[in-house]
Amino acid sequence: MEKRRKVTNPLALAVLAELLVESMHPYEMGRRLKENGKDRSFKYNRGSLYMVVEQLRKAGFIIEQETVRDTQRPERTVYALTDEGRHEFYDWMRELVAQPRHEYPQFGVALSLLSVLSPADSVELLTQRSTALAEEADEIRAVVQSALDDGVRWVFLVEDEYRLTVLEAERRFVAGLIESLKQPDYIRAWQEIFGSQT
């Protein structure tokens, strides 16, 4: 059963993970997330990062460790992980890794209503989607290969490998769906139900 958490934004999990390694300022956290490509896994911008840091502080998962004053930069607050924050991180990770969760992707919503579109429109739109999926998969392959060539260990790229696997599965699904939508029996049935409304 899913546990009710004080902070639910997935970006918070990334912040806790960064603070497992060492105490740091949010700006440094953001820099590392971008540098390591983790910003592709979370909805991320500087404002959301600072908001999540404040939520974690209020929840008692992190504390202000020190304020660094530098003549060339504004003062920066360095945050550290608390014991409660460390426990929350591992508990949350165990839940996410072990327990499948039903998510509601927008494509699933579109599929549930696909029969309203004409078979020809559906085929055309799904063909466009298949092309976009192929382009995205090619981009991810290039990012992964570049990272591997730079000596990044595979375990730091598993989210990209997962996304690639999902994209490839979706492309296979879309290809099969396109073929089903071209079947004369389906086209005839669609015409009987919706043909007079087009």
Side-chain angles (χ1 to χ4, degrees):
M1 185 174 155
E2 189 177 319
K3 181 178 177 179
R4 183 180 286 274
R5 300 202 175 275
K6 293 179 185 177
V7 182
T8 57
N9 186 330
L11 181 56
L13 198 59
V15 169
L16 294 174
E18 289 295 332
L19 293 176
L20 273 173
V21 178
E22 65 180 303
S23 301
M24 67 183 77
H25 179 272
Y27 178 83
E28 178 66 12
M29 293 175 207
R31 189 188 67 73
R32 288 188 186 188
L33 286 171
K34 280 182 119 32
E35 187 177 273
N36 298 328
K38 301 301 180 200
D39 59 323
R40 295 189 309 270
S41 300
F42 307 95
K43 285 187 177 179
Y44 165 79
N45 62 49
R46 188 174 294 172
S48 62
L49 178 61
Y50 281 88
M51 181 189 73
V52 161
V53 165
E54 181 58 18
Q55 290 172 344
L56 290 169
R57 188 193 63 74
K58 284 182 178 177
F61 297 146
I62 64 175
I63 57 169
E64 294 178 4
Q65 183 177 39
E66 64 178 319
T67 301
V68 178
R69 287 171 172 54
D70 184 324
T71 55
Q72 297 180 346
R73 293 185 184 151
E75 101 181 3
R76 296 180 175 208
T77 303
V78 174
Y79 291 88
L81 196 60
T82 64
D83 287 341
E84 189 179 354
R86 184 179 310 277
H87 173 75
E88 177 69 6
F89 172 78
Y90 284 113
D91 186 58
W92 196 356
M93 278 296 294
R94 286 182 181 105
E95 177 187 303
L96 290 176
V97 172
Q99 299 173 17
R101 176 184 286 175
H102 185 75
E103 297 171 355
Y104 300 93
Q106 292 183 7
F107 185 48
V109 173
L111 289 174
S112 74
L113 304 170
L114 189 66
S115 62
V116 174
L117 295 178
S118 75
D121 283 346
S122 295
V123 166
E124 181 183 337
L125 296 167
L126 288 166
T127 300
Q128 290 174 21
R129 184 179 189 90
S130 182
T131 300
L133 291 169
E135 289 169 359
E136 188 175 349
D138 287 344
E139 287 173 19
I140 292 173
R141 279 190 202 90
V143 166
V144 168
Q145 191 57 56
S146 175
L148 291 171
D149 291 346
D150 289 343
V152 175
R153 292 182 188 264
W154 65 267
V155 74
F156 297 114
L157 301 168
V158 292
E159 73 274 17
D160 291 315
E161 292 289 349
Y162 170 74
R163 180 69 184 135
L164 190 56
T165 301
V166 170
L167 285 171
E168 289 169 349
E170 185 176 327
R171 279 189 67 211
R172 286 191 301 275
F173 171 81
V174 166
L177 181 55
I178 287 171
E179 290 309 308
S180 296
L181 290 165
K182 291 178 178 178
Q183 296 301 311
D185 287 350
Y186 176 73
I187 294 170
R188 193 168 33 256
W190 186 90
Q191 285 290 346
E192 288 171 9
I193 298 168
F194 294 105
S196 62
Q197 299 173 28
T198 58

